[in-house]
Amino acid sequence: MMSPMKTSDFYFDLPEELIAQKPSGVRGEDKLMELGRFSGQVTHRKMADLPDLIEPGTLMIFNNSKVRRSRCYGIKKSSGREQEFMFLNQTTPDGDTWHTMVKGAKKVKAGGEYTFTDGSVGIIQENAEDIGTEFREIKFDFRLDEDWFLRNGHIPLPPYISREDDDTDSERYQTVYAKETGSSACPTAGLHFTEPMLQRLRDKGIELEWLTLHVGLGTFLPVRAENIEDHKMHEEVYTVPYDVAEKINKAKKEGRKILAVGTTSVRTLESASDENGIVRGGTGKTHIFMYPGYKFKVVDQMFTNFHTPESTLIMLVSAFAGRENILAAYKKAVEEKYRFFSYGDAMLIH
């Protein structure tokens, strides 16, 4: 019997200066590493080369989720202290109660009242499941809509970007095709695509389709378990339009490749399929966790960014291309000074 894989098996050394703090000067002008999924062969490219690297007839699947301005700051009524909340998802049909991730959650107790930028007040709720975690439930006396987030919220830049969000992020931390609002973080592989690039892909005979997975914490929470099998993923909601499911199943039947753009698209496709790889349309929830040993049923190729050490995302790409291949490719990426994480460079695995 194989011994369980350790989180430390997915560690690599990453110099801090390679963590992209800002988007590249022009959207889409990024480096692209081409990685052979089975051979492990690495070729250094640029994003402009992408259409020439994809076989005509390939079906590319993108995630069109739009980032909500979900990082909000409340002032605690009793102390006047500012508190950061990351709003994740509604927990009641009324839309007045939300699950949030809270910085310094130990100090945020049930009954605490917080006033937000526009004067609205939220009260922390008693929730047994949240005790000892970084999560808290907060209730308002009205339904929070997208206008509320526009008035009170900031772009939820990830914690490894050590600056406040600015006007550039409003545009650049959002894909050009973002449509369905609901993500707490951007499906960042899509940030590399421009309208001219999408057109170049279509002109090459590559089919493009969209699904939606609202990125929650499932994607980003660190793995704290020593054995990776002990890590529990948080649930995220996805929708695969019925016509898109039909197109995927048709492509598979015809022997055409499915290229998933971003790990969120991968997770959606694998979650929405049965054991034979037939994709079902509709809305569902997933807490799928992929690590080496996982057998892919739908996805043949992947376009993705460079991920953080010991994260569920590096485990997912390691499941797809082999841990040794990924760690060797990442070592070359460090040597060649590729930019890492959300605003960084890209990788095509095929």
Side-chain angles (χ1 to χ4, degrees):
M1 189 177 152
M2 272 175 66
S3 60
M5 293 198 98
K6 300 270 191 268
T7 300
S8 55
D9 292 337
F10 297 88
Y11 178 78
F12 64 95
D13 263 327
L14 180 65
E16 205 164 308
E17 66 269 17
L18 296 184
I19 300 172
Q21 295 295 315
K22 288 188 168 150
S24 55
V26 178
R27 189 191 288 266
E29 292 192 1
D30 304 297
K31 288 185 188 176
L32 173 66
M33 178 183 280
E34 183 185 10
L35 173 66
R37 181 181 175 187
F38 302 108
S39 68
Q41 186 179 334
V42 165
T43 313
H44 302 297
R45 309 274 190 187
K46 31 187 208 302
M47 190 61 198
D49 301 332
L50 184 66
D52 302 325
L53 305 177
I54 300 171
E55 204 178 301
T58 298
L59 173 53
M60 286 182 83
I61 302 290
F62 298 80
N63 180 6
N64 66 6
S65 182
K66 193 172 186 178
V67 181
R68 175 181 282 130
R69 297 181 76 91
S70 54
R71 175 178 284 145
C72 303
Y73 295 89
I75 302 292
K76 191 174 184 181
K77 274 196 166 179
S78 62
S79 68
R81 196 170 64 85
E82 186 178 72
Q83 180 64 54
E84 181 185 306
F85 295 87
M86 176 79 87
F87 282 71
L88 300 173
N89 55 285
Q90 299 173 19
T91 55
T92 58
D94 304 335
D96 61 356
T97 307
W98 282 69
H99 217 190
T100 67
M101 187 166 92
V102 180
K103 244 189 183 170
K106 278 182 187 161
K107 295 175 181 166
V108 179
K109 305 250 188 321
E113 293 187 30
Y114 292 83
T115 305
F116 290 83
T117 310
D118 68 351
S120 53
V121 175
I123 300 173
I124 305 298
Q125 303 299 290
E126 192 77 64
N127 185 337
E129 284 181 20
D130 290 341
I131 293 167
T133 73
E134 55 262 271
F135 302 109
R136 294 291 181 271
E137 215 168 51
I138 186 164
K139 183 176 168 53
F140 294 77
D141 59 3
F142 61 94
R143 181 187 186 87
L144 300 194
D145 57 16
E146 291 312 319
D147 283 342
W148 188 89
F149 286 102
L150 288 173
R151 289 196 306 274
N152 294 280
H154 293 255
I155 300 290
L157 292 178
Y160 45 72
I161 292 180
S162 51
R163 61 178 177 82
E164 291 301 311
D165 63 305
D166 59 31
D167 290 345
T168 315
D169 300 305
S170 299
E171 185 222 342
R172 294 293 299 274
Y173 195 66
Q174 200 79 271
T175 61
V176 298
Y177 47 76
K179 192 177 169 189
E180 308 291 339
T181 303
S183 276
S184 305
C186 185
T188 52
L191 293 178
H192 301 280
F193 292 85
T194 60
E195 288 298 349
M197 172 57 79
L198 296 173
Q199 194 52 52
R200 281 186 61 202
L201 291 163
R202 289 187 186 101
D203 292 346
K204 285 283 304 226
I206 295 154
E207 198 179 348
L208 315 181
E209 289 297 342
W210 280 264
L211 46 71
T212 307
L213 178 134
H214 291 315
V215 186
L217 284 173
T219 308
F220 292 98
L221 262 192
V223 180
R224 296 195 176 106
E226 186 186 354
N227 294 332
I228 63 174
E229 287 94 335
D230 298 335
H231 177 71
K232 295 283 179 281
M233 293 288 278
H234 279 256
E235 208 164 63
E236 292 168 313
V237 177
Y238 67 81
T239 302
V240 180
Y242 289 98
D243 63 321
V244 174
E246 279 173 27
K247 286 173 183 171
I248 295 164
N249 295 331
K250 182 172 182 278
K252 293 295 282 184
K253 208 171 170 184
E254 292 170 358
R256 293 187 286 125
K257 299 279 188 256
I258 306 297
L259 196 176
V261 175
T263 54
T264 58
S265 299
V266 175
R267 295 180 67 235
T268 302
L269 292 170
E270 296 294 318
S271 300
S273 62
D274 65 16
E275 62 279 4
N276 301 313
I278 306 293
V279 175
R280 299 175 296 262
T283 295
K285 292 179 176 178
T286 181
H287 43 74
I288 191 169
F289 177 24
M290 301 180 212
Y291 48 83
Y294 178 84
K295 299 281 180 280
F296 287 81
K297 310 184 292 283
V298 182
V299 177
D300 305 298
Q301 302 179 343
M302 194 187 302
F303 178 95
T304 186
N305 278 18
F306 289 88
H307 304 295
T308 51
E310 300 185 336
S311 62
T312 61
L313 302 180
I314 194 171
M315 292 170 190
L316 186 154
V317 293
S318 296
F320 192 70
R323 187 179 75 95
E324 289 76 14
N325 287 347
I326 289 291
L327 290 178
Y330 272 47
K331 192 167 187 289
K332 286 180 180 162
V334 168
E335 285 163 10
E336 295 292 325
K337 302 216 174 336
Y338 278 70
R339 299 164 80 240
F340 277 69
F341 312 161
S342 296
Y343 275 145
D345 294 312
M347 176 186 269
L348 173 67
I349 309 173
H350 67 156

